[in-house]
Amino acid sequence: MVNRAIEEMVTSSHGEEVWDQIKQQAGVDIDVFISSEGYSDSITYGLVGATSDALGMPPGQVMEAFGEYWILETTKRGYSDLMASGGSSLREFLLNLPNFHARLSMIFPHLAPPDFLVSDVGDRSLRLHYLSDRASLTPFVKGLVQGLGKMLATPVQVELSVAKDAGADHDEFLVQW
Ligand code: HEM
C-alpha cells in the first residue's frame, strides 16, 4: 500500500514516464504493487531515493510531502471511515494515535506498525513520541501530522525536539496547534 501510494503521488504530479524512470533507477522490476502483499523495506527506501534524485528534492522533503499526501489523498481510498473514527479534532486524533494501527493488522497481515506515545498533553499542545525500528522516517511523521492538521482544518506546528538521529532512543515531536 505504501509503495502504491508513492507511485500515485509521483504519477499524479509528474506522470507515468518519470515513475518508470524512478523504478528503473531503483532497480525495481515489479509492475503492479499489491496492497495486501508485504514487500521488503529496501524497495520503499530505494523508491524514495530515486524519487529524490529524479525530482531534485532532498529525501527528507520527499518523505515529508509523502506524509501529507498519505493523509490527504491515500486514506480517502477506502479508509475514510477509519480516518473518521480517529477523531474529530487534531487533539483527539493524536490522543488516539497509539491505537490507530491495531485496527489495520487484520487487513495487512504483514504489518510492522509504528509505536506512538503521547505525553505532556495540554489544550493546545502535546509531545508525540515515535518509536520505530525503521530508519529515517522522522520527516514522514512530520508530514503525517501536518496532513492531519490540514484534514482537520487546524493550523499546526510540528517541531522535532528530541532526535533518534542525534543518539536518543526515539524521536520526540512538540506538536502545537
Ligand atoms: C487509514 C489510515 C492508515 C493506513 C491504512 C495506514 C497503513 C499503514 C501501513 C500499511 C504501513 C506500513 C507498515 C508495514 O509495511 O509494515 C504504515 C506505516 C506507518 N504508519 Fe500508517 N496508516 C494509516 C494512518 C496513519 C496515521 C494517521 C499515522 C500517523 C499520523 C500513521 C503513521 C505511520 C508510520 C509512522 C508508519 C511507519 C512505520 C514504522 O515506523 O515502522 N499512519 N501505515
Side-chain angles (χ1 to χ4, degrees):
M1 185 182 175
V2 175
N3 296 331
R4 277 174 78 122
I6 296 176
E7 174 175 355
E8 278 166 24
M9 179 177 78
V10 172
T11 50
S12 65
S13 52
H14 294 83
E16 300 277 347
E17 229 168 89
V18 172
W19 177 247
D20 285 341
Q21 284 163 18
I22 286 170
K23 276 208 301 191
Q24 205 178 348
Q25 199 202 317
V28 172
D29 61 359
I30 297 163
D31 264 348
V32 179
F33 289 109
I34 299 163
S35 294
S36 55
E37 199 64 48
Y39 295 93
S40 158
D41 280 13
S42 62
I43 292 181
T44 311
Y45 284 101
L47 290 171
V48 170
T51 301
S52 150
D53 288 346
L55 305 187
M57 269 163 88
Q61 216 175 308
V62 173
M63 292 300 285
E64 196 176 314
F66 181 52
E68 287 204 18
Y69 185 87
W70 181 269
I71 297 295
L72 298 173
E73 300 299 332
T74 312
T75 63
K76 278 186 196 157
R77 296 187 196 108
Y79 298 96
S80 305
D81 290 351
L82 184 64
M83 286 303 280
S85 75
S88 54
S89 70
L90 182 63
R91 185 175 185 276
E92 192 188 348
F93 208 112
L94 293 173
L95 291 178
N96 285 332
L97 212 49
N99 299 319
F100 192 87
H101 288 80
R103 283 169 257 179
L104 288 163
S105 299
M106 307 268 279
I107 312 172
F108 301 101
H110 308 284
L111 196 75
D115 240 341
F116 286 109
L117 293 170
V118 289
S119 71
D120 306 83
V121 180
D123 285 343
R124 303 181 65 85
S125 69
L126 55 71
R127 286 186 190 277
L128 182 65
H129 303 256
Y130 167 54
L131 297 88
S132 174
D133 293 335
R134 293 189 167 107
S136 309
L137 296 185
T138 310
F140 176 54
V141 175
K142 187 174 184 198
L144 286 163
V145 177
Q146 287 169 175
L148 288 176
K150 286 186 181 165
M151 181 183 87
L152 296 161
T154 306
V156 64
Q157 233 188 309
V158 187
E159 185 193 318
L160 182 66
S161 45
V162 179
K164 196 171 147 185
D165 270 358
D169 68 287
H170 69 271
D171 284 334
E172 188 184 304
F173 299 87
L174 174 61
V175 185
Q176 295 171 287
W177 59 89

